[in-house]
Amino acid sequence: MAGDEGVEMAPDRRAATIKDVAAAAGVGVATVSRVLSGTGSVSPATRERVQAAARELDYRPSALGRGLKLRRTGSLGLVLPDVTDPFCAEFTAGVLDCARTLGEHVIVDVSHDDPAREAEIVERFAGQRVDGIIAVPSGDAAGWRAASAVGLPVVFAGRVLDDLPAVPAVLCDDRAGVRAAVDYLVGLGHRRPAFLGGPAPGTAVEVRERAFRDTVAELGAVLDEDLVVRARSGRDSAYAAAAGLFQRRPDVTAVLAAGHVPGEAAVLVAREFDLRVPADVSIVMVDDVPWAELCDPPLTVVSRPARELGYRACEVLRRRPATVGRTPPVVLPAELVVRGSCSPPTGMPGAPPRSSRAR
Amino acid sequence: MAGDEGVEMAPDRRAATIKDVAAAAGVGVATVSRVLSGTGSVSPATRERVQAAARELDYRPSALGRGLKLRRTGSLGLVLPDVTDPFCAEFTAGVLDCARTLGEHVIVDVSHDDPAREAEIVERFAGQRVDGIIAVPSGDAAGWRAASAVGLPVVFAGRVLDDLPAVPAVLCDDRAGVRAAVDYLVGLGHRRPAFLGGPAPGTAVEVRERAFRDTVAELGAVLDEDLVVRARSGRDSAYAAAAGLFQRRPDVTAVLAAGHVPGEAAVLVAREFDLRVPADVSIVMVDDVPWAELCDPPLTVVSRPARELGYRACEVLRRRPATVGRTPPVVLPAELVVRGSCSPPTGMPGAPPRSSRAR
DNA sequence: GGTAGGTTTGGAAACGATTCCAATCGCGAT
DNA sequence: ATCGCGATTGGAATCGTTTCCAAACCTACC
């Protein structure tokens, strides 16, 4: 047995409690608590003895006992449509960053955009007595009633639920982002831009579609209903929608993809149809993802500050107790990142030959 | 105030406790507990009354009280180098999937590959009394001592720590994956394959480098020390390493990138140097990521079953209590996914013209 | 009608922390 | 010598569960 010491050293012995430390130091539990939490006054000699005992016993206060008494757990819940989605992952990183500075843990769970599942998660979080919930919501308002029962602070991110206007939110100015993209496309000379909607964790798709329609109208370009298509959810659906669009209307010169899933579909389908980007068709995608820069040509995108969104959501959650009544949502800007996937339509002056590309 | 009901409905009223339910139903707390947990025998009439009272009061058992008594929290900790990394994200999804079936929550935190930070996280998890920890470890063994103090089950994934051989692990057969890739490259006729090492969450980089060296030697190809380069960490370092390689040795015909970060660097640098893939240089990358398929040409990769790795890690954690002594690691296969980024070197028979590509 | 045996039931003791409150201890001032 | 006051200290209550254990109750059988 000697020499076989690893992480499994002592799987049986129970962890030391505050009582053990008190006994070892020859003081009362109250004193130990005072020393370890730094509150109240303790004589230097006693403090030293307690600290030594705690170190000796490898004492680690139980968050359970502490949480029970203090009525707060020091943990918060994060509800996401999908951890695997780059936007959500980046968002999570932001939440984690901020939570760390606050000394909170983060319990993560995924809803897969299913309201029932989201409700179940909220229910579980409530049972766990998390100090608050941050969510990229998918669901109907009903699922969030559970949060109110325990008076749980909630912050929504990316999207809001229309039936719950009172919930504080951290949003991205998607409207402005889409507007900039359409503006750019129309400015290049595309009179009939197409819109490829689809699953987009982190925003209501309708917002983008509406922004698209409004901007196209405003700029005096033509809004061709045949050119705005929507995919349900999933890669395949987006691919099918894109394929349908390109097949039905071989004359499209520019498409705005409402998320990275439809964006990916657009790139793939364009290649499938042997359309050159941007010579034959220009593509702009909402959401910056690592591969956008690796594409050939690199994709022009509308970038959302996902990480910052997460950080801010967490900050709002902390400050929430102070604010009464409804807080105006925090809105962060989206940015148009011009790379190489757009050019004037064929036949227009300035259309570049195939080889030219940004970067 | 009327009509202003949202999630913030009752921020003040304290959540109902088991005592409230007992009082409302006119029974003792023990009976309520029995009804709600389904254990013991209760008369149908009583059961009904208790359930009604619980529903009425919107009672939700506190995980704190329950955890304290039961000495288990129903939550497990997940330590990752980086949530943002596609491998880690996919791995997390697998853990979440499995945890859900087990009814456990997952507390996530990121180490950024910093042993000190990792140790701190483990320390915090131990304080939280998680039921177990799953980790893609970065650190030295010292950080994991804390886990032993509370007899915390730990499962390592992707990598193992040499000093802690007793910790159960779920691994991917990286060696075989790299071997397959080198085999493929050499089979195509590349006599001097290059190796581009770099940060690769989820594996020890040395494993891949060693596997590369061994395989090259075995196959009778030539191992040119000048062609194996390593990057520290971060995109920039990988980019610099790749640029250095291509600049120093314009004669490279094939490179194996040891992860998606060096892989990205290789693609970018190749484009920068106006090298055509695969005509001028063939590229294989370890780790499949969404953009690999979107590249032009689509990248040939060694794919690791990240999601399954996560699922299995979680399973192993649950089963751990049963097993005594050291468990042999679970090893999952890596798979070579041939796409369009490799071809015989120029001048070899069968080298395809520029336009040909897979899919 | 009494009792054995089973089913329901509720009180109370943990679980591990924090914190109020009263008690003890010095010690200088009256 | 006694009082008062501030600094230390520890006991005990509390947080919300689960579960042991004993009491109460019911039924059926002798």
Side-chain angles (χ1 to χ4, degrees), chain B residues 18-43:
Chain B
I18 198 174
K19 237 180 269 184
D20 299 328
V21 177
V27 298
V29 293
T31 304
V32 176
S33 178
R34 255 177 249 126
V35 170
L36 266 27
S37 65
T39 61
S41 70
V42 196
S43 79

Side-chain angles (χ1 to χ4, degrees), chain B residues 83-173:
Chain B
V83 245
T84 274
D85 178 87
F87 173 80
C88 290
E90 204 67 45
F91 179 83
T92 303
V95 172
L96 251 29
D97 268 2
C98 181
R100 190 177 140 84
T101 73
L102 266 47
E104 302 255 342
H105 313 257
V106 179
I107 305 180
V108 179
D109 213 342
V110 292
S111 65
H112 290 299
D113 264 323
D114 172 1
R117 187 144 164 193
E118 180 173 84
E120 189 191 320
I121 294 171
V122 172
E123 194 71 34
R124 286 174 58 91
F125 281 174
Q128 284 291 314
R129 300 292 191 268
V130 295
D131 295 336
I133 298 183
I134 295 174
V136 175
S138 328
D140 45 55
W144 293 94
R145 293 276 160 199
S148 81
V150 286
L152 207 51
V154 176
V155 173
F156 283 158
R159 314 164 177 158
V160 285
L161 263 30
D162 298 332
D163 345 16
L164 293 176
V167 177
V170 175
L171 304 171
C172 175
D173 194 348

Side-chain angles (χ1 to χ4, degrees), chain A residues 115-359:
Chain A
R117 187 144 165 192
E118 180 174 86
E120 187 193 321
I121 294 171
V122 172
E123 194 71 34
R124 285 174 59 91
F125 281 174
Q128 284 291 313
R129 300 290 190 269
V130 295
D131 295 338
I133 299 185
I134 295 174
V136 175
S138 329
D140 44 55
W144 293 94
R145 293 277 161 198
S148 82
V150 286
L152 207 51
V154 176
V155 173
F156 284 157
R159 316 164 177 158
V160 284
L161 263 28
D162 299 330
D163 346 16
L164 294 175
V167 177
V170 176
L171 303 172
C172 175
D173 194 349
D174 254 349
R175 245 193 112 65
V178 168
R179 182 177 304 263
V182 174
D183 204 25
Y184 174 64
L185 250 20
V186 172
L188 282 174
H190 298 277
R191 300 290 303 158
R192 299 172 161 263
F195 178 84
L196 188 53
T203 342
V205 269
E206 314 87 55
V207 171
R208 295 184 184 161
E209 186 176 327
R210 206 156 40 231
F212 175 81
R213 291 173 179 280
D214 293 353
T215 312
V216 170
E218 269 172 41
L219 295 176
V222 6
L223 178 60
D224 188 337
E225 281 299 340
D226 199 33
L227 291 179
V228 350
V229 303
R230 279 174 288 273
R232 289 281 149 242
S233 75
R235 286 185 139 63
D236 297 343
S237 163
Y239 189 88
L245 173 67
F246 282 115
Q247 189 156 10
R248 201 169 58 246
R249 297 291 298 263
D251 59 317
V252 279
T253 64
V255 18
L256 172 60
H260 65 92
V261 176
E264 177 182 326
V267 170
L268 248 23
V269 170
R271 191 180 300 164
E272 197 75 20
F273 282 46
D274 264 318
L275 296 168
R276 290 158 307 159
V277 178
D280 298 328
V281 61
S282 291
I283 297 180
V284 182
M285 172 173 89
V286 180
D287 266 344
D288 203 1
V289 292
W291 59 261
E293 233 179 322
L294 295 183
C295 263
D296 191 16
L299 240 52
T300 291
V301 300
V302 173
S303 167
R304 294 189 291 160
R307 198 180 195 108
E308 168 127 28
L309 236 29
Y311 199 97
R312 299 294 286 275
C314 194
E315 275 187 342
V316 169
L317 196 57
R318 177 190 49 184
R319 258 201 298 285
R320 229 219 33 125
T323 59
V324 249
R326 57 194 59 182
T327 338
V330 174
V331 178
L332 266 36
E335 186 195 357
L336 179 70
V337 179
V338 175
R339 293 203 264 249
S341 62
C342 300
S343 71
T346 326
M348 292 278 292
R354 172 82 181 99
S355 66
S356 131
R357 64 182 176 242
R359 195 181 208 248

